[in-house]
Amino acid sequence: MTTFKELNNACQWEDDYAPLGQLILIRDRAPSDGSLFIHHLLNSYLAKQYKKGVGLVSLNHTFLHYQTIELKLNSNLLKEGENNNFHFVDAVQGLTQSFLGEEEVMQDNTLLYASPVNVTDVKKPQCISVWKPDSDLCESLFQHIRKHADKDCLIIDHLNPLLYAGDGGVYKLMRKLHELTKKENVTVVVAIHDCAADYRSEETRTANFIEHLSDITFRVSGLPSGYSKDVHGQVEVVYKKDKNTFDPPKHVKLHFKTMDHSAKLFAIGNV
Amino acid sequence: MKTSTFIRKGARQQTVPPGAKPSVHNGQLLISSGLRDFDSIVGGGLPVGSLICIQEDRHSQYAQNFIKYFLSEGLSCGHSLAYSLSPLNSINSFLPLNHTERLKAGQASVEDEEDDAESQQNELKIAWRYKEFVDQQVAAKKLRKTTTPITHQQKGTVSCHEYDLSREIQPEIFEKHKSNMTKLQPSNYKALLKDIYDRVKSLRSDASNRTATSILRVGLQSIGSILFNDNSQLIPFLYALRGLMRSSMSTCVFTLSKECISIDKLESLRHACDIVVDMNSFVGADIDVSDWEFKEYSGLLDMVKLPRINSLTTNFTPDSLNYAFKLKRRKMYIERLNLPPEETREASNPDRPKYQESQAAKAEESERIMRDLYGASEDQVMSCSGGVGMVHHHSKTSKIQDTLDF
């Protein structure tokens, strides 16, 4: 994907860089948003055309959101789904269902995958499955992923709603996902919103825990100088070259600007 | 400007519910918040399916106006409403008067005109030669009001009605739309979500019919206050509520009692919302702003989070995220916060009395610091603060110099 060429260049990655068997963490802090890196990785793995394809678990947005953006980035999730190269797990409704304790909450609602402007005559795409939680949220989500989204790359956007599941469910889930990366050579991408105000918060502790396990980390944050119209934030890419050596992790810091159809990453001070 | 009436053959007709409009940026369906200034700073309107958090000012004096505008606009557009207000508020006294309907009905009162005339007279004490020009402008304004009630339409912004916060809603409008309103009576967050869910479910069958009532507006006042006894459930509640909004033609605006919530929790719950606005009023903040550049405003408004639905970036890129609001007699205004150029500020202008006062205050403060720190006599203090020469004699006094410089 040419949009993120600067990022790949800075990190000395190939243009079609999409490694397998990695745990990749995207941790963002308000007011910035790391969703552009989710789309970058989603696009990269779809373009790479691995055998099993990509699975996207969304606890944040509906399918329509991702489809709209991916269309702008020259990728069609519906077509990829038809080719069995993509699967979408809608976990947003599961959160509502879990909180209400209802049996079924809006499971077949067309608004989950169609625009409110065009809700009529839309059939549910085959590549979407809706997660139905039970008493153990994280475990049931993991089981659902294994059943429906057994792919080469698994993207989870984002982990924060599961932090309130209790009993350290998120930690267990992350351990299991980490095992997947090593045993089955699956790449797992996890996004989490970090809390800048308090380093003892659950968000920060979980983000630190995952960063410790991860191979590549994208730390996305706003500019220290405050809001800017031309630079929307900064990203620090931390990647561990080889865990068997004592080489320190490599850091690359870039500024970025997101636009409707693309994103621009550039060296600091080089707008 | 001429607009083309050409429609492509075979193009799918888009049916948009009343009071809604697709965004020019990403096609997302938008509804108005009822306050045109606010619509324009969030990218044209509030996205359907979103969750909007207004962090209350100290006394919740101004934040509640957002709920008033939001619910009233829903009523005017024929949308369904579900609301939870603080126990002191009743819905009919809470909703403001629909000024647009009033103008349409030709009920523009005599007192409105009197107010206008009075204000003109007050304004024209000095620039009396421009009276004719101003009269023309006022006449043109009145003409616009009578012909097109909704004026000042910005490109891409959803149209909205005008409201008069100083008066209660017209009884006939209230009675007409009473059946579309549902009062939520929460005892806890779970019960509240259940009530909203039931309302969404009942409207769900209407969604395909594209009736006005298929859009649901949910207004919740003072979430997170002590009236809700299980605040540990607040963030899961918001995530669940957002999921519910996404799967329905609903939009929720709630005000948040930020004083009752810790900072880290506040940041966490911002992630669960699509738009976050922070309001800080000058009232109750122990700040006297009468001499400030902000004296015409009632408080500051910061856009903490802008919507990113169906888009990689925000709907539009604003020049600034800092705004100020003011409440005039009838209406609330939001304006971009502009400080005057540095040299024109009171504090940095040596000719202004305020500058002299601040210098005197500074000198007094430095004297006090030295007295407290070193117990120096008054003469020594005066000589230290007056000239630099003496200060250099002792290391002790060089520290004082640092303090003064600072």
Side-chain angles (χ1 to χ4, degrees), chain B residues 203-257:
Chain B
L203 290 171
R204 197 182 163 195
S205 56
D206 295 335
S208 55
N209 298 333
R210 287 270 165 251
T211 55
T213 48
S214 60
I215 290 185
L216 174 68
R217 289 177 181 242
V218 183
L220 308 172
Q221 197 181 6
S222 298
I223 292 288
S225 71
I226 51 166
L227 296 173
F228 292 89
N229 51 13
D230 53 349
N231 270 340
S232 63
Q233 288 293 305
L234 176 59
I235 298 172
F237 162 73
L238 291 177
Y239 278 116
L241 181 60
R242 189 173 68 166
L244 192 58
M245 294 295 112
R246 288 279 197 276
S247 64
S248 58
M249 298 276 280
S250 316
T251 301
C252 176
V253 173
F254 70 93
T255 63
L256 181 82
S257 303

Side-chain angles (χ1 to χ4, degrees), chain A residues 25-185:
Chain A
L25 171 69
I26 299 164
R27 60 187 293 182
D28 56 9
R29 284 184 168 180
S32 223
D33 188 78
S35 59
L36 79 148
F37 296 99
I38 291 171
H39 287 281
H40 164 51
L41 293 164
L42 176 60
N43 238 326
S44 305
Y45 280 91
L46 285 174
K48 196 78 179 173
Q49 294 282 332
Y50 282 119
K51 197 179 169 185
K52 289 184 184 172
V54 185
L56 173 61
V57 182
S58 173
L59 293 126
N60 197 11
H61 291 288
T62 57
F63 176 76
L64 177 70
H65 170 83
Y66 298 97
Q67 168 70 347
T68 312
I69 294 173
E70 284 301 314
L71 282 175
K72 288 175 186 170
L73 298 174
N74 298 326
S75 187
N76 189 340
L77 297 182
L78 284 174
K79 270 193 176 173
E80 297 288 349
E82 283 168 11
N83 298 333
N84 206 22
N85 196 27
F86 175 75
H87 188 85
F88 182 82
V89 178
D90 190 325
V92 178
Q93 298 314 300
L95 296 172
T96 311
Q97 189 175 331
S98 156
F99 192 82
L100 276 174
E102 295 273 326
E103 278 300 305
E104 284 208 352
V105 178
M106 303 289 173
Q107 299 286 355
D108 299 320
N109 198 324
T110 46
L111 289 167
L112 297 177
Y113 43 83
S115 162
V117 183
N118 287 322
V119 286
T120 49
D121 307 330
V122 181
K123 286 179 183 172
K124 186 182 174 185
Q126 291 297 312
C127 62
I128 299 178
S129 65
V130 182
W131 166 54
K132 292 171 185 172
D134 58 23
S135 56
D136 191 345
L137 279 186
C138 297
E139 179 59 27
S140 65
L141 181 62
F142 183 72
Q143 293 306 330
H144 185 93
I145 291 168
R146 294 298 285 156
K147 193 177 172 187
H148 295 96
D150 187 16
K151 302 285 183 188
D152 285 318
C153 174
L154 190 65
I155 300 172
I156 300 176
D157 177 27
H158 52 80
L159 213 56
N160 290 58
L162 296 178
L163 296 179
Y164 305 94
D167 295 336
V170 172
Y171 294 97
K172 287 176 198 166
L173 176 70
M174 282 316 302
R175 272 187 218 112
K176 286 178 181 173
L177 292 172
H178 187 241
E179 270 179 30
L180 276 185
T181 63
K182 301 304 161 205
K183 286 181 181 170
E184 299 184 23
N185 207 26

Side-chain angles (χ1 to χ4, degrees), chain B residues 107-164:
Chain B
Q107 295 171 349
S109 65
V110 179
E111 54 187 284
D112 290 348
E113 287 169 13
E114 280 174 358
D115 286 347
D116 288 343
E118 194 181 320
S119 61
Q120 287 158 31
Q121 280 175 2
N122 289 340
E123 284 166 12
L124 293 173
K125 276 177 188 168
I126 299 167
W128 55 272
R129 288 173 72 92
Y130 291 101
K131 193 172 187 321
E132 280 183 20
F133 172 73
V134 173
D135 285 344
Q136 283 172 6
Q137 294 292 312
V138 170
K141 193 178 166 188
K142 277 179 185 169
L143 190 70
R144 280 201 303 274
K145 270 184 182 177
T146 50
T147 50
T148 50
I150 300 159
T151 57
H152 182 61
Q153 285 237 8
Q154 291 183 11
K155 194 185 171 188
T157 304
V158 188
S159 59
C160 75
H161 297 72
E162 295 283 344
Y163 299 95
D164 183 349

Side-chain angles (χ1 to χ4, degrees), chain B residues 21-293:
Chain B
K21 184 182 178 181
S23 165
V24 290
H25 302 284
N26 54 17
Q28 174 70 31
L29 205 59
L30 302 175
I31 54 171
S32 173
S33 66
L35 185 58
R36 191 170 292 113
D37 290 346
F38 187 62
D39 286 343
S40 59
I41 63 173
V42 293
L46 308 176
V48 172
S50 62
L51 188 58
I52 295 106
C53 170
I54 312 288
Q55 294 182 11
E56 287 176 1
D57 48 296
R58 193 168 290 255
H59 298 302
S60 184
Q61 193 181 354
Y62 301 101
Q64 65 172 348
N65 290 331
F66 279 94
I67 305 261
K68 285 183 181 183
Y69 278 120
F70 178 70
L71 293 177
S72 302
E73 183 61 23
L75 210 67
S76 305
C77 297
H79 297 165
S80 295
L81 307 182
Y83 60 89
S84 163
L85 306 177
S86 66
L88 297 174
N89 290 322
S90 70
I91 186 70
N92 52 347
S93 60
F94 187 74
L95 297 177
L97 181 131
N98 188 331
H99 195 61
T100 309
E101 288 295 326
R102 202 157 178 246
L103 287 170
K104 265 187 194 171
Q107 295 171 349
S109 65
V110 179
E111 54 187 284
D112 290 348
E113 287 169 13
E114 280 174 358
D115 286 347
D116 288 343
E118 194 181 320
S119 61
Q120 287 158 31
Q121 280 175 2
N122 289 340
E123 284 166 12
L124 293 173
K125 276 177 188 168
I126 299 167
W128 55 272
R129 288 173 72 92
Y130 291 101
K131 193 172 187 321
E132 280 183 20
F133 172 73
V134 173
D135 285 344
Q136 283 172 6
Q137 294 292 312
V138 170
K141 193 178 166 188
K142 277 179 185 169
L143 190 70
R144 280 201 303 274
K145 270 184 182 177
T146 50
T147 50
T148 50
I150 300 159
T151 57
H152 182 61
Q153 285 237 8
Q154 291 183 11
K155 194 185 171 188
T157 304
V158 188
S159 59
C160 75
H161 297 72
E162 295 283 344
Y163 299 95
D164 183 349
L165 288 173
S166 62
R167 297 176 202 177
E168 288 178 14
I169 188 171
Q170 295 96 320
E172 62 274 13
I173 297 178
F174 184 76
E175 288 299 323
K176 189 182 168 189
H177 298 286
K178 209 175 176 181
S179 57
N180 291 342
M181 292 190 272
T182 310
K183 188 179 181 184
L184 307 167
Q185 292 174 316
S187 53
N188 56 45
Y189 291 114
K190 194 172 177 178
L192 179 59
L193 190 71
K194 182 81 177 68
D195 283 356
I196 299 169
Y197 173 63
D198 289 342
R199 189 75 189 117
V200 167
K201 213 172 169 184
S202 67
L203 290 171
R204 197 182 163 195
S205 56
D206 295 335
S208 55
N209 298 333
R210 287 270 165 251
T211 55
T213 48
S214 60
I215 290 185
L216 174 68
R217 289 177 181 242
V218 183
L220 308 172
Q221 197 181 6
S222 298
I223 292 288
S225 71
I226 51 166
L227 296 173
F228 292 89
N229 51 13
D230 53 349
N231 270 340
S232 63
Q233 288 293 305
L234 176 59
I235 298 172
F237 162 73
L238 291 177
Y239 278 116
L241 181 60
R242 189 173 68 166
L244 192 58
M245 294 295 112
R246 288 279 197 276
S247 64
S248 58
M249 298 276 280
S250 316
T251 301
C252 176
V253 173
F254 70 93
T255 63
L256 181 82
S257 303
K258 64 181 176 192
E259 306 288 338
C260 306
I261 294 169
S262 63
I263 295 171
D264 62 317
K265 221 174 182 182
L266 205 61
E267 197 170 325
S268 303
L269 68 84
R270 281 172 188 167
H271 293 307
C273 306
D274 297 298
I275 299 174
V276 181
V277 179
D278 188 20
M279 293 185 80
N280 290 295
S281 66
F282 298 137
V283 179
D286 296 332
I287 305 170
D288 180 19
V289 289
S290 55
D291 290 340
W292 287 19
E293 283 79 9

